[in-house]
Amino acid sequence: MSASPAPLFEVRDLRVAFGRHGQFHEAVRGVSLTVAPGEVLGIVGESGSGKSVAMLAALGLNPEGSRVTGSVRFKGQELVGMSRRDLRKLRGSRVAMIFQDPLSSLNPVMTVGAQIAESVLLHNPGLPRRAAMERAAELLALVAIPQPDRRINQYPHEFSGGMRQRVMIAMAVANDPDLLIADEPTTALDVTVQAQIMQVLADLQHRLNLGLILITHDLGVLAGHADRVAVIYAGQVVEQAPVDDLFAQPGHPYTRGLIASIPNMAVEKERLFSIEGTPPALGRLPSGCPFNPRCSQARDICRSAVPPVSGPAQHRAACHFAFEAPATTDSPA
Amino acid sequence: MTRYILRRLFAMPFLVLGIVTLAFLLTSVTKGDPLTAIVSDRQMNNPEVVAAAKARWGLDRSLPERYVIYVGNLLQGDMGTSFITRRPVAQDVLYRLPATMELVTAAMIVGSVMGISLGVLAAAFRNTPIDHAARFFALFGSSIPVFWLGLALLYVFSVQWGVLPGPGRVDPRAALPPMVTGFVTIDALIALDFPLFLDALWHLILPAFVLGWAVAGTISRLVRANMLEVLGREFTLTARAKGAGEFRVIVRHALRNTLVPTLTVIGYSFAYLLTGAVLTETIFSWPGMGSYAVEAARGLDFPAIIGVTIVGGVVFLFTNLITDVAYVIANPRVRLG
């Protein structure tokens, strides 16, 4: 799947900068990635790594006062610099998005049915309202919400967290999109519900042959669901690989750190591994490799030179010592 | 919902009794002697006349006695007789209340429409000249006293330019339509007197604008702040991600979410409008409760003062009830048992 010749979604050297006191600081610093039709790409990174900002900017949803450069192609169409009107036509119909917190993502004073119907009507202007509401009920059934005909007349506060996220998913797939961007879809949910929502997403992805971008800070979520994974650190993709390769042979020390910090019930450990320190703040990047202050393997060159991207075509990592065996000091104390 | 309204209605009589008691007591502690309003200066030295007047108006009785008699009469719809007009206060008030309600309603419509649109514009174009202009307009309306603004606008639009009529509810030469609702505009429509309707509407513009402007200022600032808060919430991002345009995001998603607090402020601004109506009516020779209250206060017309206070208080109670009920209807998250 990952070697599909015509990508559905292709991001090249995407940069997003925020202006502060007349100075621009880049939160996304040249992200490149591709998604093939029907492929699931996982994007993983810490909070503030720029993963959500990058995807919002790709769809023209970057906040006011930010600057976007680079190229984003969807089915060959360039989205950066596209007119607002054309972008609007694409959003919600060909490309849909769901967000982290399903409560704040739904309008509290509109019924759930009206919100889903709005999604339908925005892209089918001639459709009668009743037909749109019927479609809304169908969509609720599609995401396995019981009694959809009754539920469409209820408000978001009458739904549980998991049910709300199902509503968001129903809304997103209302117009049978080609690409769905799910931004931390399970982070705000109870653990037991997380698996259910992932199941709903996986089912729909399969059934509708969706291209799916799964943004998360939890590498564990991606293990069973993604085809490929892009690891983002400080606004850059530091490693990109098919999911099995990534877990079997992580090339970047940051990726190794992320894998090590997945809780493992099978192995008894004194305490969980964590990567020391915090990601660099906007506009306060260290010289050389942006990860060097937190990297246990950092040497002189890491502090002076930005690492090139290396490795085979399917598995690239941005590290001077990519794919080198980790030093013994890397293990938790 | 119905239970909530019933519970509120049940509390009404007690609140009204409180208003009656307060209004009655407040007038009794004022310094003015109501006798001066009844008996002419020349006859003040005539003990017989004074005693007769006291007996006639019940001023020879003790305060508790007067209170009980007053409440008893009030229960039968009798608010006493005005010292000045020598007509039953209830009749005077009934005649004047609709004029005030018409003015206040019009002012409320003007104020809400102006306030909401200005607030939305200011939020949508925040930190642009449009926002600054809206802020200036709002601040101006809320800071300028009603009586000054009324006189200034009357002078400019009526005296200087002659584009709007002078004081009064209708043209002085026109006859009022037969009273049905007491709203001249509506009564004119009922009487199918279209020219009179336009004339009444024409006369309503300036006082309604003067009174509404002050409220518009408050409402627009509140709407702006709420809009900015809501526009920062995530569901507006969801709406944009669905493909909704900016106008739709602002009006259908954001504005609807600000309507609940806005409704409350509009409802509670009613008290301000009633107070402001006193001055506005005086300037625009509006035959409403406000001008009646001013005359009553000037003439120490105690029955009229108490009557106006009670009716004003009851009107206020009802608008608060309506506001609270509207709040519940507009906000699906509030469930009341």
Side-chain angles (χ1 to χ4, degrees):
Chain A
M1 274 281 213
S2 50
S4 179
L8 173 71
F9 190 63
E10 189 176 17
V11 177
R12 250 179 218 298
D13 197 31
L14 182 71
R15 289 168 186 274
V16 184
F18 291 94
R20 201 184 285 162
H21 310 304
Q23 232 183 334
F24 275 92
H25 295 294
E26 282 188 339
V28 177
R29 305 181 302 124
V31 163
S32 300
L33 38 87
T34 59
V35 182
E39 186 187 32
V40 181
L41 172 73
I43 299 183
V44 69
E46 284 164 285
S47 334
S49 60
K51 51 196 195 302
S52 305
V53 174
M55 287 304 106
L56 285 174
L59 300 186
L61 291 171
N62 49 300
E64 254 174 74
S66 55
R67 195 175 60 192
V68 180
T69 54
S71 156
V72 176
R73 282 178 175 276
F74 175 74
K75 288 179 147 181
Q77 262 183 304
E78 180 60 56
L79 304 191
V80 175
M82 191 187 239
S83 78
R84 284 160 154 241
R85 208 162 146 249
D86 290 343
L87 267 174
R88 274 213 301 274
K89 280 191 192 149
L90 223 55
R91 287 200 294 257
S93 67
R94 306 319 330 136
V95 188
M97 250 189 123
I98 60 174
F99 302 100
Q100 175 171 340
D101 185 351
L103 177 57
S104 53
S105 299
L106 289 167
N107 189 333
V109 301
M110 273 170 86
T111 62
V112 157
Q115 296 189 56
I116 301 175
E118 184 186 29
S119 223
V120 176
L121 287 169
L122 275 167
H123 301 283
N124 303 280
L127 200 70
R129 219 191 122 70
R130 267 195 52 193
M133 283 303 263
E134 275 165 28
R135 173 90 179 115
E138 275 172 38
L139 286 159
L140 283 188
L142 187 71
V143 293
I145 290 184
Q147 294 182 282
D149 291 317
R150 193 175 62 87
R151 290 295 229 164
I152 51 169
N153 295 317
Q154 294 184 334
Y155 289 90
H157 72 270
E158 297 172 78
F159 286 68
S160 68
M163 287 290 168
R164 284 180 203 136
Q165 196 59 293
R166 285 171 197 256
V167 170
M168 284 296 290
I169 296 170
M171 209 151 75
V173 299
N175 296 301
D176 199 3
D178 302 305
L179 178 68
L180 174 63
I181 301 176
D183 188 357
E184 305 255 12
T186 60
T187 306
L189 304 175
D190 289 344
V191 185
T192 48
V193 181
Q194 286 184 3
Q196 293 171 15
I197 293 298
M198 283 312 297
Q199 198 51 53
V200 171
L201 269 178
D203 281 352
L204 281 176
Q205 187 270 328
H206 215 73
R207 237 195 294 177
L208 306 175
N209 195 33
L210 279 173
L212 176 63
I213 296 180
L214 211 51
I215 304 174
T216 178
H217 64 267
D218 181 2
L219 200 49
V221 169
L222 298 180
H225 295 285
D227 298 316
R228 276 187 315 117
V229 176
V231 181
I232 290 200
Y233 186 79
Q236 278 176 326
V237 177
V238 294
E239 183 160 8
Q240 197 163 176
V243 68
D244 295 338
D245 292 5
L246 190 91
F247 278 99
Q249 201 192 13
H252 197 284
Y254 180 60
T255 314
R256 286 199 286 274
L258 287 178
I259 293 172
S261 47
I262 300 172
N264 189 339
M265 301 299 259
V267 184
E268 211 166 298
K269 276 194 235 175
E270 287 286 306
R271 53 188 226 183
L272 275 174
F273 176 76
S274 68
I275 305 170
E276 294 284 315
T278 52
L282 204 63
R284 294 235 180 106
L285 279 176
S287 62
C289 172
F291 186 59
N292 85 68
R294 304 172 70 188
C295 183
S296 57
Q297 291 161 273
R299 296 175 216 174
D300 287 344
I301 185 170
C302 301
R303 286 180 267 275
S304 56
V306 176
V309 178
S310 62
Q314 289 310 307
H315 191 164
R316 322 267 304 162
C319 174
H320 291 294
F321 308 102
F323 306 107
E324 273 187 20
T328 43
T329 48
D330 203 24
S331 57
Chain B
M1 182 75 184
T2 328
R3 261 176 66 197
Y4 172 71
I5 296 172
L6 283 178
R7 213 167 57 199
R8 291 287 305 262
L9 282 175
F10 179 74
M12 246 352 153
F14 300 99
L15 291 167
V16 172
L17 187 68
I19 292 173
V20 170
T21 311
L22 266 180
F24 196 86
L25 289 179
L26 279 177
T27 40
S28 71
V29 296
T30 49
K31 284 273 186 282
D33 183 357
L35 273 180
T36 55
I38 307 164
V39 183
S40 67
D41 288 343
R42 209 152 37 81
Q43 297 198 294
M44 265 305 197
N45 299 323
N46 186 338
E48 263 172 62
V49 174
V50 171
K54 273 190 173 176
R56 158 83 175 77
W57 297 95
L59 291 166
D60 52 347
R61 293 167 198 259
S62 71
L63 186 66
E65 235 179 317
R66 291 202 321 251
Y67 174 72
V68 170
I69 293 171
Y70 185 83
V71 174
N73 287 343
L74 189 63
L75 285 174
Q76 297 161 41
D78 180 3
M79 301 179 111
T81 306
S82 161
F83 294 162
I84 298 174
T85 65
R86 306 277 159 155
R87 274 193 307 264
V89 171
Q91 189 191 315
D92 279 351
V93 166
L94 211 64
Y95 168 74
R96 283 168 171 266
L97 182 63
T100 298
M101 293 307 282
E102 187 174 30
L103 172 63
V104 168
T105 308
M108 212 149 124
I109 293 170
V110 170
S112 309
V113 170
M114 248 171 34
I116 292 174
S117 358
L118 277 177
V120 169
L121 274 176
F125 298 96
R126 63 184 163 282
N127 300 330
T128 66
I130 294 177
D131 186 13
H132 301 317
R135 177 177 298 132
F136 177 78
F137 189 82
L139 202 65
F140 191 84
S142 351
S143 337
I144 299 292
V146 165
F147 55 86
W148 189 88
L149 192 64
L151 284 176
L153 292 186
L154 256 185
Y155 179 73
V156 173
F157 286 97
S158 182
V159 179
Q160 284 288 320
W161 297 350
V163 289
L164 286 172
R169 284 182 94 181
V170 288
D171 190 280
R173 284 155 296 183
L176 287 176
M179 182 158 155
V180 183
T181 61
F183 282 36
V184 173
T185 45
I186 295 175
D187 286 350
L189 277 184
I190 291 174
L192 296 175
D193 191 344
F194 206 64
L196 185 64
F197 167 74
L198 283 182
D199 185 49
L201 206 61
W202 206 230
H203 276 80
L204 199 50
I205 292 176
L206 214 45
F209 182 77
V210 167
L211 197 50
W213 194 350
V215 183
T218 321
I219 295 174
S220 76
R221 298 321 288 163
L222 177 95
V223 169
R224 180 186 183 271
N226 277 316
M227 283 291 287
L228 288 182
E229 196 261 324
V230 173
L231 282 172
R233 301 239 299 266
E234 237 173 57
F235 64 80
T236 57
L237 184 63
T238 307
R240 289 193 180 97
K242 273 193 221 177
E246 209 51 31
F247 182 79
R248 195 181 179 82
V249 170
I250 285 173
V251 173
R252 221 182 125 80
H253 289 276
L255 182 60
R256 242 176 98 168
N257 270 276
T258 60
L259 279 188
V260 173
T262 308
L263 215 61
T264 314
V265 166
I266 291 174
Y268 294 155
S269 70
F270 204 84
Y272 177 87
L273 288 173
L274 277 181
T275 324
V278 173
L279 294 167
T280 314
E281 283 178 8
T282 311
I283 288 159
F284 287 92
S285 313
W286 202 262
M289 296 265 289
S291 46
Y292 186 63
V294 170
E295 284 158 34
R298 207 180 277 151
L300 285 178
D301 187 352
F302 280 19
I305 294 173
I306 300 172
V308 167
T309 313
I310 292 172
V311 171
V314 170
V315 167
F316 183 62
L317 281 183
F318 269 99
T319 51
N320 271 11
L321 175 67
I322 293 168
T323 306
D324 291 347
V325 170
Y327 177 85
V328 175
I329 292 170
N331 189 350
R333 278 163 301 182
V334 181
R335 285 280 172 273
L336 296 151

